[in-house]
Amino acid sequence: MEFLGKIKEIEKQLDERFYRCHRSFLVNKDNIREIDFQNQVIYMVNGDECLISSRMMKGLK
């Protein structure tokens, strides 16, 4: 979903199912199909792909 605003504001309102994996992405961990740590990509169950920042990879392992 795209929106105008700050992800940090949305992140504060969400529960622990959601994870900030990148400056531009906030993902629902229940909808992750696969994580490619080598290429720093998250594959979602609906076919979408999200980037993972190097710094945020630790939280998904």
Side-chain angles (χ1 to χ4, degrees):
M1 175 170 69
E2 293 183 31
F3 69 97
L4 296 174
K6 297 183 180 186
I7 291 181
K8 196 163 208 94
E9 294 171 6
I10 300 296
E11 186 178 11
K12 289 177 187 176
Q13 299 174 11
L14 299 173
D15 59 30
E16 68 279 345
R17 290 177 298 162
F18 291 86
Y19 185 74
R20 181 92 177 257
C21 61
H22 188 273
R23 180 178 176 190
S24 303
F25 296 105
L26 188 61
V27 297
N28 183 336
K29 294 186 283 187
D30 295 341
N31 293 324
I32 294 175
R33 185 186 75 217
E34 179 184 350
I35 302 173
D36 183 348
F37 290 103
Q38 187 171 357
N39 293 314
Q40 297 180 318
V41 178
I42 296 174
Y43 298 100
M44 307 302 286
V45 294
N46 67 355
D48 287 344
E49 298 176 8
C50 297
L51 299 175
I52 313 170
S53 72
S54 307
R55 229 179 62 207
M56 302 306 270
M57 274 197 284
K58 292 180 250 175
L60 286 174
K61 287 188 178 182

